Amino acid sequence: MGREFLEIFEDWAESYDAFVEGEDPQYQEVFRGYDQILSAIVEKSGNSVIEFGVGTGNLTRKLLEAGKVVFPIEPSPQMCDLAKAKLGSAVQIHDGDLLVFPLPPHEVDTIVSSYVFHHLNDEEKGEAARCYGALLPVGGKVVFADTMFESEAVRQSLIEQAKQAGFADLKADLEREYYPLIPDIARLFEDAGFATEFVQYNDFVWILEAVK
Ligand SMILES: C[S@@+](CC[C@H](N)C(=O)[O-])C[C@H]1O[C@@H](n2cnc3c(N)ncnc32)[C@H](O)[C@@H]1O
């Protein structure tokens, strides 16, 4: 689940690709290095991938271009339509979310997402880690890129910077959605049987690589 923010994407879908290209100054830092972030996810992925929250299909396209077998999942009909237009009708996008989703008819070695995991609250994130731990084989991976913070002090300082810059939408977003602290995410995945590693890509976005 974690579908409570889906309404935001009804309005955002059409302009989403302009956002990731840095059109809105409020979100320029969040999406700085977007292309490199998606490429890093592809490099860390195995051959058979579930992707959650495909959005307009940017990561899906890169995964497919790299020859991966991808099982794409997206709960927003608006985003799904845009992804279908970009990827072509040969790619089937499945309705589902980070917690409730159909399973592919083959084994999966990697579960990926970009800018999605913060839609789950802490309890749901723990549930998701346990679910992925049960689904993946030993050596399988979760590779998630998203906004997260090293500490509460860093979170508060980035919220304060957004306030000082007059970035009201960014500030409200950081305060509204469930952007986690890295030590909390590490603990949730380690409790579910994963070894975790985090790499920072800009002031907001890190990639979690969790290996079972
Ligand atoms: C910020 S966009 C990211 C899209 C894309 N992954 C990218 O990197 O550009 C977040 C996406 O997650 C989807 N989403 C929202 N809640 C979700 C959930 N609980 N499970 C899976 N996807 C979700 C939204 O519909 C949207 O397509």
Side-chain angles (χ1 to χ4, degrees):
M1 298 302 283
R3 292 182 175 221
E4 61 261 49
F5 302 112
L6 277 189
E7 247 176 46
I8 293 172
F9 295 97
E10 283 175 26
D11 300 329
W12 197 13
E14 280 300 337
S15 60
Y16 182 77
D17 276 347
F19 259 74
V20 304
E21 281 160 22
E23 190 178 80
D24 183 336
Q26 300 202 42
Y27 281 85
Q28 268 170 6
E29 180 59 21
V30 174
F31 288 108
R32 182 167 61 81
Y34 177 74
D35 198 59
Q36 184 205 353
I37 291 166
L38 302 192
S39 296
I41 295 174
V42 175
E43 275 163 34
K44 291 172 192 291
S45 296
N47 293 318
S48 177
V49 181
I50 290 179
E51 183 192 351
F52 288 115
V54 300
T56 57
N58 296 325
L59 175 58
T60 325
R61 182 160 67 185
K62 274 184 185 282
L63 288 161
L64 290 169
E65 282 170 359
K68 318 276 185 194
V69 175
V70 188
F71 191 82
I73 294 174
E74 169 58 56
S76 156
Q78 289 81 7
M79 287 301 221
C80 196
D81 286 347
L82 290 166
K84 278 185 193 156
K86 187 176 288 176
L87 300 169
S89 52
V91 179
Q92 193 191 348
I93 300 171
H94 305 269
D95 181 28
D97 58 60
L98 287 154
L99 283 175
V100 179
F101 55 93
L103 284 174
H106 49 262
E107 190 173 83
V108 167
D109 58 27
T110 314
I111 297 174
V112 303
S113 73
S114 50
Y115 298 86
V116 177
F117 199 44
H118 64 273
H119 293 110
L120 297 185
N121 64 34
D122 283 355
E123 196 182 326
E124 291 169 328
K125 286 190 188 83
E127 197 185 321
R130 289 189 293 278
C131 166
Y132 308 153
L135 181 64
L136 288 167
V138 172
K141 284 181 186 182
V142 174
V143 184
F144 282 174
D146 208 352
T147 288
M148 46 188 108
F149 309 104
E150 278 175 293
S151 66
E152 188 54 36
V154 173
R155 186 213 308 266
Q156 290 309 324
S157 122
L158 286 165
I159 290 173
E160 184 56 30
Q161 273 180 40
K163 185 178 165 194
Q164 295 302 326
F167 293 168
D169 292 346
L170 176 62
K171 177 177 179 289
D173 177 0
L174 293 173
E175 289 176 330
R176 177 184 60 237
E177 302 192 13
Y178 309 124
Y179 298 106
L181 299 185
I182 288 172
D184 293 339
I185 293 286
R187 184 179 37 78
L188 291 179
F189 276 88
E190 282 157 21
D191 286 353
F194 292 90
T196 60
E197 212 174 278
F198 295 82
V199 178
Q200 186 167 21
Y201 284 80
N202 61 39
D203 285 355
F204 294 91
V205 175
W206 294 68
I207 292 183
L208 155 69
E209 185 174 5
V211 182
K212 179 170 163 182

